[in-house]
Amino acid sequence: MGAARIALWLVAAVLAIRQTAAVLRQPPGERFMELDAWIGENGVLRVEGSLYDTDRFTGTPFAGLVLKPLTHAAEETLGIAWALGTLLLVAGIALVVARALPGPVSRRSQLLAAPVALSLLMLSLPVRNSFHLGQTSVIPVLLVLLGCFVARGERRSGLLIGVAAALQPTVLLFAPLLWFTGRRRAAITSAATFAVCSALAWAAMPGDSSAYWIDHAAGAGLGTHPDGLANQSLHGALLRFGLEGPLEIALYLALAAAVVWLGLRRAVRYAQDGQLLLAVAVTGCVAVAVSPTTWQHQLLWVLLAVVGRVGKSWSDRMLWPVLTVLALTLPAKMLLPNIAVLHPVRDNAVLIAALAAACAVPFLLRTSPGFGQPVPTEYRRPLPSRWSRIPLLPFWRRVVSRPNLLLELIVIRVGYSVYSQIRLAATGGVEAAREHARQIISIEQAIGIDIEHWANQAVVRTQWLEAVFNFYYTSFHFPIPLLILGVLYVRRPSDYRWARSALALATLLALLGFWLYPLSPPRLMPGMGFIDTVHRTEDLANPEFGPLTQVTNQYAAMPSLHFGWSLWCAVVVVLLAPKLWMKLLATLHPLITLVVIVGTANHWILDALGGAVVVVSGFALTYLLSGRRELREENAEGTEGSAAVPETIPVQGPAPVPVQVPAAREPRGSGEPRKALHSKDPGDPQEPQAAVPAGPPS
């Protein structure tokens, strides 16, 4: 556990340093662009007239009032100090979140929560945008977290939340949360602080305040392109759907009222259940959805919702955190394919996540069965291997149960997107790729297998054969592996996991080949007489090879995954298919694929050999890491036998303990009773600990 904790802190530190360095390496005119638009030489805080005469400033008048005195100081420190300050703010959020996890929390979770939280924050799009653009949107989040979990006394808590609301008005939604959970003094203080700060800004800048609150209806419509994809709010989504005018405003207000009513009711319920961090996250997601404009750097509340627990089994419980993290760390185009019917979902992925967290996701209460101990996962041990040190990772336990389907589909989609991006980036240069191709030709001529030109010309001379080969090349590469994975998922879940791991490892090894050895396929070698039967493109003088390079890397030929994936299909079917005819049919697929990729001038013979090497290596690594594919048959007592009852290993977790509803922190010596919604000090003898049953284990 100590080594794991050190490793996670190192990962978090590397991510923080990398993000800071990536920003500081940018030229002065390309970093902190929004900050420079505020406080730069021609920034809106320096020009005469209203802050909102241009479309660059979208903050509240109070934010402008606070930033104006800091204009000179911020300009002087526009660089390392500003980046380090943002880093400290993010680190503070991570530490507060790790401290506020809803109990019962295991010792392992307590030790690892802070570095994991910091790593996720550094990877998230809101934090990365805040670093790059010089935004201050993390400050209201930190102020609310400090007010809810660190500040002692309701007045201090309300003061911090009120200042945060003055910077982002929708944060005022935390006042009803405080009120309905018994912290009425904090709610009143936050509302009063918000009013005082706004009044000060109005007195200092009456024209700007009138423009913000009256002319623009609390900031609605400020900024460029409120219907752009960066505005992940209900208002922005309705504008993108083509609605405008009174109809859009009426529909927006109705939807916002429904989200506020339902979301705050859920937040109050979770706060009363002792899950204050989840209640804060749900309230923040409500604010994200109902705000007139919610830019990408203001979406940090959605990431905090990963603390909610959903599902009774481990496989189901991982679905919500993984989906949320992916939505907040990856571009939407990597989550969903480029299909027209999915564009509304892809364009509003973060908004959908916020609405789901606020109104729909059935987060478990602490009294729910399985909150602390989900349904145990079923495992089996592999049969003994020939070598005693295999598997090399004994903790890589072989799961028998079927994984969550939606989670598998999302992981496959994201994995393929990452694979495509790496493959596209691994160009290596056209001349290097052609030089490597000449090396391949020399090797094939030396051993007498240089048949590519003859095969390509034979296909071109036979029109029907060319049509068949083109169809096979473009149609069978993806569907057959997906079909095999689908059948295994339904019929043989444990073998599905084994086959999927082998395919993933083989693909990762292929990426190394693309990166280290860029290779020009026969169809891109000038002067050799090869004809690209699939694309019929002859612009070989253009190194970019036309628009095709926008889809895939044309020089990622070694190894051939067309042949490699077909060989993987054959191996899996031969090992697992129950019928002889199925095995024989499967062996034809790689043979036909080899003929097709050579006949269409897309690969050399040695490319297929490279594909075979990475597939064999993928199966070998799977065997080395997790042991044999075959699993032991164990009876109900857990001893070896012929019964097909899987071994059930209970998930390690904290034993059921009394759950205590958090209470507010007050200064020591205060005789005022504590109220719900804050973490309780277990050392305070003034208040008895009211225990709530945690529920029986599943």
Side-chain angles (χ1 to χ4, degrees):
M1 183 56 60
R5 189 182 186 189
I6 293 174
L8 287 174
W9 274 115
L10 287 176
V11 170
V14 169
L15 291 174
I17 294 173
R18 182 184 181 278
Q19 182 63 46
T20 305
V23 173
L24 296 179
R25 281 200 302 264
Q26 297 291 329
E30 298 180 10
R31 65 186 182 194
F32 308 133
M33 291 179 292
E34 293 200 13
L35 179 64
D36 186 66
W38 295 351
I39 65 177
E41 183 177 354
N42 298 317
V44 295
L45 299 183
R46 290 182 178 271
V47 299
E48 299 295 333
S50 174
L51 297 173
Y52 308 105
D53 287 342
T54 66
D55 56 8
R56 293 185 294 176
F57 188 77
T58 60
T60 63
F62 179 74
L65 180 65
V66 172
L67 286 175
K68 269 195 173 183
L70 301 177
T71 300
H72 180 70
E75 187 177 14
E76 293 292 332
T77 61
L78 192 60
I80 297 178
W82 188 272
L84 292 180
T86 304
L87 178 60
L88 291 176
L89 294 176
V90 175
I93 292 176
L95 294 176
V96 176
V97 168
R99 176 185 178 183
L101 290 177
V105 180
S106 65
R107 176 66 175 170
R108 177 175 57 185
S109 298
Q110 291 176 348
L111 292 175
L112 304 183
V116 171
L118 181 57
S119 299
L120 291 179
L121 288 171
M122 295 307 303
L123 289 172
S124 66
L125 292 174
V127 170
R128 283 152 54 190
N129 281 337
S130 296
F131 266 94
H132 180 69
L133 300 177
Q135 282 287 346
T136 58
S137 56
V138 296
I139 295 178
V141 178
L142 181 59
L143 289 176
V144 171
L145 293 176
L146 291 176
C148 290
F149 300 104
V150 178
R152 295 181 179 275
E154 294 190 6
R155 292 178 179 174
R156 296 180 182 177
S157 176
L159 181 65
L160 291 172
I161 295 175
V163 173
L167 296 173
Q168 286 185 6
T170 49
V171 173
L172 197 61
L173 288 170
F174 283 91
L177 175 66
L178 297 171
W179 181 275
F180 290 114
T181 52
R183 303 200 62 221
R184 299 188 174 183
R185 180 179 297 177
I188 295 174
T189 303
S190 63
T193 303
F194 167 77
V196 170
C197 292
S198 300
L200 288 176
W202 199 297
M205 298 181 294
D208 294 328
S209 298
S210 175
Y212 181 87
W213 292 109
I214 299 176
D215 298 341
H216 292 286
L222 288 177
T224 58
H225 305 296
D227 59 342
L229 297 181
N231 183 12
Q232 289 289 306
S233 68
L234 284 172
H235 178 55
L238 293 177
L239 292 177
R240 285 191 290 274
F241 283 131
L243 299 177
E244 58 183 11
L247 175 62
E248 187 273 331
I249 295 176
L251 184 57
Y252 161 67
L253 292 177
L255 292 176
V259 171
V260 169
W261 180 81
L262 183 57
L264 289 183
R265 282 175 59 91
R266 284 162 51 87
V268 169
R269 184 183 183 190
Y270 295 128
Q272 293 174 342
D273 183 59
Q275 301 186 67
L276 176 56
L277 182 57
L278 178 58
V280 169
V282 169
T283 307
C285 289
V286 173
V288 165
V290 304
S291 177
T293 52
T294 303
W295 305 115
Q296 200 171 49
H297 55 270
Q298 300 171 331
L299 299 171
L300 201 55
W301 297 111
V302 184
L303 185 61
L304 301 184
V306 298
V307 299
R309 304 185 187 184
V310 185
K312 296 182 179 180
S313 64
W314 273 114
S315 60
D316 294 335
R317 184 158 294 182
M318 291 300 298
L319 177 61
W320 168 250
V322 169
L323 289 177
T324 305
V325 170
L326 291 178
L328 268 294
T329 55
L330 296 178
K333 64 181 181 180
M334 297 184 65
L335 301 177
L336 294 171
N338 188 19
I339 301 176
V341 70
L342 296 178
H343 285 176
V345 178
R346 191 179 67 173
D347 295 343
N348 302 283
V350 181
L351 172 61
I352 293 174
L355 290 173
C359 305
V361 178
F363 297 115
L364 295 177
L365 299 176
R366 297 202 299 178
T367 54
S368 302
F371 178 87
Q373 288 188 333
V375 175
T377 304
E378 295 181 349
Y379 301 95
R380 281 185 189 159
R381 292 174 291 179
L383 291 175
S385 302
R386 180 173 300 179
W387 297 281
S388 60
R389 294 188 178 274
I390 294 177
L392 296 178
L393 300 179
F395 54 84
W396 188 343
R397 296 177 292 180
R398 300 287 292 276
V399 181
V400 177
S401 59
R402 186 174 292 108
N404 185 282
L405 178 58
L406 182 56
L407 182 59
E408 287 292 300
L409 294 177
I410 289 293
V411 170
I412 290 175
R413 166 62 191 174
V414 172
Y416 179 73
S417 298
V418 174
Y419 157 78
S420 300
Q421 294 295 323
I422 296 177
R423 176 186 169 116
L424 188 60
T427 54
V430 176
E431 289 304 321
R434 290 177 177 173
E435 177 60 29
H436 292 159
R438 287 187 281 269
Q439 296 174 4
I440 294 294
I441 294 172
S442 300
I443 296 174
E444 291 188 353
Q445 289 175 346
I447 59 180
I449 60 172
D450 54 327
I451 62 171
E452 291 86 0
H453 186 270
W454 169 83
N456 179 241
Q457 294 301 315
V459 171
V460 171
R461 287 193 298 266
T462 310
Q463 186 174 1
W464 68 267
L465 187 60
E466 179 182 348
V468 171
F469 275 29
N470 291 345
F471 174 77
Y472 201 95
Y473 181 83
T474 56
S475 302
F476 285 79
H477 182 44
F478 294 106
I480 293 183
L482 292 177
L483 176 63
I484 292 175
L485 288 174
V487 172
L488 292 180
Y489 179 87
V490 175
R491 301 294 297 273
R492 307 180 72 161
S494 61
D495 287 329
Y496 163 80
R497 294 175 182 270
W498 164 80
R500 176 202 58 188
S501 299
L503 181 62
L505 291 173
T507 305
L508 289 176
L509 293 175
L511 287 177
L512 291 178
F514 301 154
W515 195 278
L516 299 176
Y517 197 78
L519 177 64
S520 175
R523 59 186 174 83
L524 294 184
M525 291 300 292
M528 291 190 175
F530 289 101
I531 297 178
D532 185 353
T533 63
V534 176
H535 306 106
R536 286 289 180 179
T537 303
E538 299 179 358
D539 186 16
L540 300 184
N542 181 6
E544 298 300 323
F545 196 62
L548 289 176
T549 53
Q550 300 177 6
V551 180
T552 182
N553 177 13
Q554 301 299 306
Y555 299 100
M558 171 65 79
S560 169
L561 280 186
H562 263 84
F563 180 79
W565 286 7
S566 66
L567 181 62
W568 173 88
C569 295
V571 172
V572 171
V573 173
V574 168
L575 290 177
L576 302 179
K579 303 292 185 179
L580 178 60
W581 67 267
M582 298 179 181
K583 302 176 186 291
L584 295 177
L585 184 62
T587 58
L588 295 177
H589 182 42
L591 297 177
I592 297 175
T593 301
L594 176 60
V595 176
V596 167
I597 62 176
V598 173
T600 57
N602 278 282
H603 285 284
W604 310 96
I605 294 290
L606 290 183
D607 296 346
L609 179 60
V613 169
V614 297
V615 168
V616 171
S617 301
F619 282 112
L621 284 175
T622 304
Y623 173 76
L624 290 174
L625 296 176
S626 61
R628 294 176 59 177
R629 177 186 63 82
E630 299 87 351
L631 303 177
R632 293 177 183 269
E633 298 287 350
E634 298 185 355
N635 56 31
E637 285 75 22
T639 58
E640 296 182 18
S642 59
V645 178
E647 173 193 10
T648 301
I649 302 178
V651 175
Q652 297 295 327
V657 296
V659 179
Q660 299 176 9
V661 178
R665 290 192 173 188
E666 296 291 342
R668 295 297 184 188
S670 173
E672 195 173 325
R674 302 185 178 198
K675 296 183 175 63
L677 201 63
H678 264 286
S679 57
K680 175 178 170 53
D681 186 353
D684 192 344
Q686 297 181 1
E687 179 181 357
Q689 299 178 353
V692 179
S698 300

